[in-house]
Amino acid sequence: MAEETMTQATESMNDYKDELEASFRKLSEGDIITGTVIAVTEEDVTLDLKYYAPGIIKAEEISSDPDFNLMESIQIGDTLEATIIRMDDGEGNLLLSRKEANDVLAWEKLNQYLEEGTNLKVRIKGIVPSGVIAYLEGIRGFIPASHLSLDYVEDCNPWLGKDVEVRVITVDQSQKKLVLSAKVIEREKAEEAHNHKISMLVPGTVVEGTVESLMPYGAFVNIGNGLSGLVHISQICTRRIKKPGEVLKVGQNVKAKILNTNNNKISLSMRVLEEEMADTEADAIDKSVEEFVSHESASTNLGSLLANLKLDV
């Protein structure tokens, strides 16, 4: 019985071994520790640190975001990382700062976002000359006006309060510099949509379009739906020309056949249509000649038959 009791006591101590060791671990000011939220008020957050004393984070030490709402953003059971700024706040608690920990940990996350090309959603919190301000991982980030949209942005004020999807394009912790871009994501989406349109085109299809530009190597033709194709100089006509301008002019309406859509580029040919038309005309002439010859032969045979025919009177 005594042996059984001793075994149970040993098991009980082993069950709490990690907690006991954690409660007596050595902590110092400046250490970054992790705790679980056990209480939230408008003034502060209390963390269970698995230590002999709880941790307290004052509201002003939670986030650098001026619009951060403590009661809405942090819930009991959340896990937070914070820096110890004082071992005793005067009431036996460890005084912590999430902002200080964030200044170290957030930059690591931001570098990770940069390396992985992660898409992130942020809210525009402020307007500054030539751009806007948004916070990411508690760090103040700058979005240049030129990176807000694919379209030219002259006035940033309408963007205030809007949620936008961005990607980190510059991280410089030493200069406290974080630059974000919504434009790079929009450009990728536009390219994806554009390439999808091209993938729906069928080689061999005849399209109509307008010559939008002439280059030494060919002409670009707008075929509608936001798509343009190249008619290489060798595919403009059957005769040899030195430059596209000899045959075409900007704004001219033309017909062309889609040759291929390799590498998401549309290759067109006007020459093929010209050759096909010539072949069709040649076939029509050949057919007319055959019909004429056949008709003449039939007429001759009928005449001969009638000439040799004798009628009894």
Side-chain angles (χ1 to χ4, degrees):
M1 185 70 177
E3 184 177 339
E4 183 180 345
T5 303
M6 185 177 296
T7 301
Q8 290 176 346
T10 302
E11 290 176 350
S12 179
M13 290 183 67
N14 286 334
D15 289 341
Y16 292 96
K17 180 181 179 181
D18 293 340
E19 286 80 356
L20 288 170
E21 289 180 353
S23 67
F24 290 106
R25 71 187 188 277
K26 183 174 178 57
L27 297 177
S28 305
E29 291 182 4
D31 289 350
I32 295 177
I33 56 176
T34 302
T36 303
V37 176
I38 56 175
V40 182
T41 68
E42 293 183 353
E43 290 76 29
D44 56 39
V45 173
T46 303
L47 300 183
D48 177 10
L49 305 172
K50 303 300 182 186
Y51 193 62
Y52 70 84
I56 301 293
I57 309 176
K58 297 296 183 182
E60 61 271 19
E61 290 294 331
I62 293 287
S63 174
S64 298
D65 187 342
D67 294 329
F68 183 84
N69 188 306
L70 191 155
M71 299 296 290
E72 291 181 2
S73 302
I74 296 180
Q75 309 295 326
I76 291 176
D78 287 351
T79 299
L80 301 180
E81 292 174 302
T83 300
I84 301 173
I85 55 177
R86 195 181 306 160
M87 291 300 296
D88 190 336
D89 66 351
E91 297 181 4
N93 306 308
L94 275 71
L95 191 61
L96 311 174
S97 172
R98 191 184 181 210
K99 285 201 301 186
E100 285 195 18
N102 196 60
D103 283 342
V104 176
L105 301 173
W107 290 102
E108 294 178 2
K109 286 187 178 179
L110 294 174
N111 273 303
Q112 183 178 348
Y113 292 151
L114 176 64
E115 292 172 5
E116 297 178 355
T118 308
N119 292 352
L120 306 147
K121 186 166 286 187
V122 297
R123 179 165 294 177
I124 307 301
K125 296 294 184 67
I127 308 297
V128 295
S130 70
V132 299
I133 297 300
Y135 286 82
L136 184 58
E137 297 295 337
I139 301 297
R140 184 177 186 269
F142 174 60
I143 308 177
S146 60
H147 277 270
L148 270 173
S149 173
L150 276 176
D151 300 322
Y152 175 71
V153 177
E154 184 174 359
D155 182 11
C156 293
N157 286 289
W159 291 81
L160 188 62
K162 284 188 176 182
D163 290 331
V164 294
E165 193 174 23
V166 298
R167 192 173 294 166
V168 178
I169 58 173
T170 302
V171 176
D172 188 340
Q173 184 176 357
S174 63
Q175 299 294 323
K176 302 294 182 184
K177 183 179 180 181
L178 171 64
V179 183
L180 312 172
S181 173
K183 183 177 181 178
V184 293
I185 297 176
E186 285 192 11
R187 183 187 291 119
E188 286 181 2
K189 289 181 177 179
E191 288 178 357
E192 187 176 329
H194 182 265
N195 292 341
H196 176 69
K197 290 179 185 178
I198 293 176
S199 70
M200 300 301 289
L201 297 176
V202 179
T205 304
V206 177
V207 294
E208 293 187 33
T210 304
V211 177
E212 58 183 7
S213 65
L214 299 176
M215 306 298 289
Y217 51 84
F220 284 96
V221 177
N222 185 334
I223 62 173
N225 200 24
L227 300 177
S228 294
L230 173 66
V231 183
H232 189 267
I233 190 169
S234 64
Q235 294 297 323
I236 290 178
C237 61
T238 53
R239 67 184 177 88
R240 187 171 182 178
I241 57 176
K242 292 183 178 180
K243 57 183 179 179
E246 293 179 24
V247 179
L248 301 172
K249 61 182 180 179
V250 174
Q252 180 178 342
N253 292 324
V254 298
K255 285 186 178 181
K257 177 172 281 192
I258 299 174
L259 293 181
N260 62 68
T261 55
N262 299 339
N263 300 318
N264 293 314
K265 294 179 180 179
I266 305 169
S267 179
L268 304 172
S269 176
M270 295 168 59
R271 175 178 177 172
V272 169
L273 292 183
E274 188 178 336
E275 291 172 342
E276 289 178 354
M277 185 177 294
D279 290 341
T280 301
E281 291 175 351
D283 289 342
I285 292 173
D286 290 343
K287 186 176 182 182
S288 297
V289 171
E290 287 176 3
E291 290 177 352
F292 176 77
V293 171
S294 175
H295 177 70
E296 286 297 308
S297 176
S299 299
T300 301
N301 292 337
L302 180 60
S304 299
L305 180 63
L306 291 174
N308 295 325
L309 182 65
K310 292 183 179 180
L311 298 174
D312 294 330
V313 178

